[in-house]
Amino acid sequence: MSPTQLENSWFEVLKQEFEQPYMKTLKLFLAEQKSLGKTIYPDSENVFSALNSTPLSQVKVVILGQDPYHGPQQAHGLCFSVKKGVAAPPSLKNIFKELHNDLGCVVPGHGNLHEWSQQGVLLLNSVLTVNQAQAGSHQGKGWEIFTDKIIAELNHHHKNIVYLLWGTYAQKKGACIDDTNNLILKSVHPSPLSAYRGFFGCHHFSKCNTYLKQHQKEEINWQLAF
């Protein structure tokens, strides 16, 4: 895990974080987990995929997640996204359902959201790694400080970003977002446990595009290719 793995614009604003005590402690924790034989997701080359897929200058929308998926072959560094060929998890299925109801998007035959990230949608988890079959196993180890720094850099360099905060965890994480110069959209989490209590019908995707258009930014094409 090195800053040299980062896309150039993110490298410039985050490189000093890798010298901070919390990051050194995090590196030791990850090394310890590997030495204990733990399988860590995503693969090391995909840990920073969200940043590498969406350069700092191109961020228009941020979707905040919590942890990577902890099942085999699922996590690849973009929140809510899975690799092609892997079944879409329940929360992602509900995201696609809301997209269909909101914008008429056809549910794709895969769950890879990379096309969104290439349009300026930063798909950022608060915690960037997890042990296989152990949800939340890397929380409180330092990743949250790192991703808070990412949000701070967005506040500093940008305005008129749309933040989609789904669920209590994301909303707490987003408390430091500048709400005077950005649009913050909140709802319950798209999980089957809560989606029917406000995620369905939130129209976040159309509201997002309306805001982008109002601020002379290109709208997101939420329809994934098949």
Side-chain angles (χ1 to χ4, degrees):
M1 188 176 67
S2 162
T4 59
Q5 293 175 275
L6 288 173
E7 181 273 333
N8 287 340
S9 62
W10 285 114
F11 172 80
E12 288 302 318
V13 298
L14 296 173
K15 59 186 176 183
Q16 294 183 350
E17 293 302 295
F18 289 81
E19 301 303 319
Q20 299 300 316
Y22 82 85
M23 185 60 80
K24 294 178 179 179
T25 300
L26 174 58
K27 289 180 181 178
L28 289 173
F29 167 77
L30 293 172
E32 177 190 49
Q33 294 300 294
K34 289 182 180 179
S35 71
L36 292 172
K38 301 287 188 180
T39 298
I40 297 176
Y41 296 135
D43 296 334
S44 57
E45 63 267 24
N46 288 322
V47 170
F48 298 121
S49 284
L51 301 175
N52 292 336
S53 300
T54 313
L56 175 59
S57 62
Q58 296 178 19
V59 176
K60 296 188 291 187
V61 181
V62 179
I63 299 179
L64 279 182
Q66 187 167 346
D67 296 295
Y69 294 122
H70 53 83
Q73 302 301 315
Q74 291 183 310
H76 64 124
L78 307 178
C79 74
F80 291 106
S81 180
V82 291
K83 299 175 183 178
K84 289 186 176 180
V86 178
S91 292
L92 183 55
K93 288 182 179 178
N94 285 339
I95 290 171
F96 288 152
K97 185 175 181 178
E98 174 58 20
L99 266 170
H100 175 72
N101 293 336
D102 186 12
L103 292 172
C105 293
V106 179
V107 176
H110 64 87
N112 191 320
L113 307 181
H114 184 63
E115 290 174 51
W116 294 357
S117 67
Q118 292 182 305
Q119 298 179 70
V121 182
L122 181 63
L123 297 166
L124 182 67
N125 277 316
S126 176
V127 177
L128 301 188
T129 55
V130 70
N131 285 348
Q132 181 178 349
Q134 291 182 281
S137 50
H138 292 191
Q139 290 183 14
K141 305 299 182 181
W143 280 128
E144 293 92 340
I145 302 172
F146 183 73
T147 50
D148 278 349
K149 174 65 173 175
I150 291 170
I151 294 173
E153 289 299 329
L154 290 170
N155 280 336
H156 178 69
H157 291 279
H158 282 302
K159 62 180 181 179
N160 304 138
I161 291 176
V162 181
Y163 289 85
L164 306 182
L165 308 182
W166 301 330
T168 303
Y169 186 95
Q171 289 163 25
K172 288 180 179 177
K173 178 75 174 176
C176 60
I177 297 168
D178 174 10
D179 61 0
T180 60
N181 292 305
N182 302 288
L183 176 64
I184 301 175
L185 298 175
K186 300 178 182 180
S187 84
V188 298
H189 196 274
S191 160
L193 297 175
S194 56
Y196 286 94
R197 292 190 282 108
F199 180 76
F200 292 138
C202 68
H203 300 290
H204 278 185
F205 303 101
S206 58
K207 289 176 180 178
C208 170
N209 277 354
T210 297
Y211 181 85
L212 292 176
K213 188 175 181 179
Q214 288 172 344
H215 290 87
Q216 291 73 54
K217 294 186 177 186
E218 187 173 352
E219 298 168 76
I220 305 300
N221 177 12
W222 297 103
Q223 177 66 66
L224 295 172
F226 284 76

